Amino acid sequence: MATDYAALKKGGFMRQKQKNCFSMRLKVVGGQMTAKQLAKVAEIAEEYGHGYVHLTSRQGIEIPFIQLQDIDAVKAEMAKGNVEGGTCGPRVRTVTACQGSAICPSGCIDTTALAEKISDHYFGRELPHKFKFGVTGCQNNCLKAEENDIGVKGGMEVEWNEAACINCGLCEKVCRSNAISITDGRISIDRAKCNFCGRCSKSCPTDAYTENRGYIVSFGGTFGNDIYQGEEIVPIIHEEETLFRVMDAAIAFFAEYANKGERFRKTMERVGIETLKKRVEEAYHG
């Protein structure tokens, strides 16, 4: 029976230059695996590979040198350890994320939980070309959200509560975009300068800011043969439901208009960013 290389690739088995050898790409959502999963990965690498793994640039794990005849056995071992295969080819790839607000003091959103929801909603969906999501927790942008087809960055809009303020001036000092100024004991926020980093609120010793956390979304980033920074089309989004409507609209646009083998960015440029913008804005407004 002929080997179905396309099916193997879809399931994460990528052909190596060595004959009948595959590098097994695993599904690692948001860069997290349990210790038990890692133990099973190590076991598989020892028994069926060359005793090592490769950590990819997108937080993935690959096990090189899996032999063609061992693929079914490897799949069975993976299932025992609750380890899932990743995917390759023209479909939604594994979602990447930083550690976010659950771990990082700078984080504005729970990136891990969001990455899991995005993965549940989109992972493996067939599209004209590969499609990547990245989630980062704040303006430090450790995950470089704008390099992804859709990037999600945590942010927060803040409001000053005068009654709780002791006029220590710390918020003005920590604001890197110079959006905060203090005049005669009153704080003003220049909304045009504010980048939603939340440093003012996080540094405030008396909780004199009300936080409204949300998602800053970019569209059409790539970092491969062609490099583009993703475009922000809509304002910061505060409701998760709205976020998913917006992402649904972007993927539907790509599925409808893209030529086979064409990245999302190229489709945006060929069809017109204004066409995508109209779709996304309609989803944003519900």
Side-chain angles (χ1 to χ4, degrees):
M1 179 183 291
T3 302
D4 189 343
Y5 291 107
L8 289 174
K9 186 175 182 180
K10 182 177 180 179
F13 288 92
M14 300 179 295
R15 294 176 73 175
Q16 294 182 199
K17 61 188 293 184
Q18 294 83 4
K19 186 176 181 181
N20 291 330
C21 284
F22 296 80
S23 188
M24 175 60 202
R25 177 175 292 174
L26 305 178
K27 183 181 179 183
V28 185
V29 180
Q32 294 197 10
M33 294 191 84
T34 66
K36 289 184 178 180
Q37 287 174 316
L38 285 171
K40 176 54 71 175
V41 171
E43 181 183 320
I44 293 171
E46 286 284 359
E47 185 169 352
Y48 296 100
H50 279 190
Y52 75 95
V53 301
H54 172 69
L55 302 181
T56 75
S57 61
R58 285 186 59 81
Q59 301 181 321
I61 296 176
E62 293 174 3
I63 308 174
F65 290 100
I66 302 297
Q67 300 293 315
L68 178 61
Q69 67 268 20
D70 292 331
I71 284 178
D72 288 340
V74 168
K75 288 180 179 179
E77 286 300 313
M78 287 169 54
K80 291 178 184 177
N82 196 29
V83 177
E84 296 182 55
T87 193
C88 308
R91 49 194 59 90
V92 176
R93 304 295 183 83
T94 301
V95 182
T96 59
C98 70
Q99 295 201 78
S101 61
I103 299 291
C104 178
S106 298
C108 295
I109 59 172
D110 187 342
T111 54
T112 300
L114 181 59
E116 290 173 350
K117 290 177 182 178
I118 292 173
S119 181
D120 290 343
H121 199 66
Y122 298 111
F123 175 73
R125 182 176 298 189
E126 302 288 334
L127 290 169
H129 206 325
K130 62 185 174 183
F131 200 96
K132 298 177 180 179
F133 286 90
V135 185
T136 200
C138 67
Q139 286 291 348
N140 290 336
N141 206 8
C142 296
L143 199 88
K144 304 175 181 64
E146 289 87 357
E147 292 180 2
N148 294 269
D149 295 284
I150 293 182
V152 181
K153 185 188 299 179
M156 63 171 70
E157 287 186 297
V158 297
E159 294 291 343
W160 177 54
N161 300 320
E162 183 177 3
C165 182
I166 59 174
N167 291 307
C168 66
L170 187 56
C171 56
E172 184 182 33
K173 292 176 183 177
V174 302
C175 181
R176 293 176 175 175
S177 58
N178 297 315
I180 293 180
S181 59
I182 303 176
T183 305
D184 297 328
R186 291 192 58 81
I187 290 175
S188 60
I189 304 171
D190 187 335
R191 300 296 175 179
K193 291 182 178 179
C194 179
N195 68 352
F196 312 112
C197 69
R199 287 173 62 85
C200 53
S201 180
K202 290 176 182 295
S203 67
C204 181
T206 60
D207 297 326
Y209 284 93
T210 300
E211 301 174 350
N212 190 7
R213 297 173 185 247
Y215 315 99
I216 303 164
V217 187
S218 58
F219 303 86
T222 62
F223 205 80
N225 292 310
D226 298 302
I227 299 175
Y228 296 96
Q229 180 174 317
E231 310 270 353
E232 291 181 22
I233 295 176
V234 291
I236 186 171
I237 296 170
H238 294 291
E239 298 80 24
E240 192 174 278
E241 180 183 353
T242 303
L243 173 65
F244 276 88
R245 280 205 314 269
V246 163
M247 294 190 296
D248 283 345
I251 284 189
F253 167 89
F254 184 47
E256 178 179 350
Y257 289 109
N259 296 323
K260 183 178 180 180
E262 181 179 63
R263 289 296 297 271
F264 182 41
R265 180 70 189 209
K266 295 295 186 182
T267 306
M268 287 169 56
E269 292 182 340
R270 179 176 54 79
V271 176
I273 292 178
E274 287 303 314
T275 303
L276 172 65
K277 184 177 180 180
K278 182 180 179 181
R279 293 277 191 96
V280 169
E281 286 179 341
E282 287 174 351
Y284 176 82
H285 292 293

